[in-house]
Amino acid sequence: MRPVIIAANWKMHTTPADAAELATTLAGRTNVPDVERVICPPFVCLAAVRDALAATPAGLGVGVGAQNVHHELSGAFTGEIGAGMLVGLASWVIVGHSERRRDAGETDELISRKLQRAVEVGLRPILCVGEQLAEREAGMAESVVAAQLGGSLAGFAEDPAALGAAGLVVAYEPVWAIGTGRTARGADAAAMAEAIRQAIGGLGRGFDAIATDLPVLYGGSVSAAAAGEFLAEPAIDGALVGGASLKVEEMAGIVARASLTAAGRRAATGRGG
Ligand code: 13P
């Protein structure tokens, strides 16, 4: 049974003081069974969020994630953050977000190196993939995403099991759905989630073992109102939430819906409800 995961990507929002308060409130309002919750604040807010969550019983089950990590562990890289520096501050990390591919020129080759650094220090990676609108309209969405996966996971060809051990999560975020208020259709996102598992399974020996149990999240204008469309799909294991993750009522609604999905999965596997 795959887990149900709701991850909040706060992007470039909040100060350390705001972040602590929001994390505490969110933890209290989303404290439902069987949903893995993760908050990914800006780097400078990681310590505040970690401490705020540790200070409230509801926060104990909430993971903390970074939004990026450098592709080298250390060195002369002014302004950058290495994976080892995140240990103790975060246990998750988002890698390859489309905003970084767009604004920081991140390539699949670079993303592969970032993933390797994350896995080396024991961070749980959320790898983001997704097509542009023109690519979807041209019928190329699945091939574009498959190419992103192939490039981003190339660094693990010798040791795919390391990815499984690290608990790799893939977030399918169609670029045209991010911050636009326009979501993908649930059925299309579910088809992509299956295509993602197939593409990873086809990467070679050892990757097939990761593919079946791989959690795939949907991201792109997820709100409390829109979440049900995705969380009703058995192929989709949760959401990576941007704008709505800064709004307590929205997140309470999204996580409550995710809890229904988790309960349904539990019941379906005969583990009670
Ligand atoms: P929005 O939910 O604001 O569309 O952002 C999605 C996203 O990019 C999450 O990583």
Side-chain angles (χ1 to χ4, degrees), residues 7-11 94 97-99 128 171 173-174 177-182 218-223 239-245:
N9 177 6
W10 287 357
K11 306 192 179 184
I94 296 172
H97 193 281
S98 65
E99 287 154 10
C128 299
E173 299 207 309
I178 296 178
T180 58
R182 177 181 173 192
Y218 167 78
S221 296
V222 173
S223 61
L240 180 55
V241 186
S245 73

Side-chain angles (χ1 to χ4, degrees), residues 85-97:
M85 301 170 191
L86 294 171
V87 173
L89 284 171
S91 45
W92 296 71
V93 63
I94 296 172
V95 177
H97 193 281

Side-chain angles (χ1 to χ4, degrees), residues 116-244:
Q116 287 175 284
R117 299 298 87 75
V119 168
E120 278 163 18
V121 305
L123 291 169
R124 187 169 184 189
I126 302 177
L127 168 63
C128 299
V129 293
E131 81 286 356
Q132 308 277 342
L133 185 57
E135 293 166 336
R136 174 155 289 272
E137 287 174 346
M140 292 165 53
E142 290 188 5
S143 59
V144 165
V145 167
Q148 289 173 338
L149 291 167
S152 306
L153 301 180
F156 292 91
E158 301 298 316
D159 188 15
L163 272 178
L168 174 71
V169 172
V170 172
Y172 168 54
E173 299 207 309
V175 176
W176 46 271
I178 296 178
T180 58
R182 177 181 173 192
T183 58
R185 287 189 309 195
D188 289 342
M192 182 62 88
E194 286 302 1
I196 286 169
R197 293 191 186 94
Q198 253 183 28
I200 292 181
L203 287 178
R205 241 178 104 84
F207 282 99
D208 46 346
I210 300 167
T212 321
D213 293 333
L214 177 80
V216 179
L217 314 184
Y218 167 78
S221 296
V222 173
S223 61
E229 175 156 3
F230 303 100
L231 292 166
E233 295 287 347
I236 298 176
D237 304 309
L240 180 55
V241 186

Side-chain angles (χ1 to χ4, degrees), residues 23-24 26-28 31 37 49-50 52-64:
T24 304
L26 278 180
N31 195 13
R37 294 164 294 159
V49 167
R50 175 200 60 189
L53 292 173
T56 170
L60 295 178
V62 183
V64 179

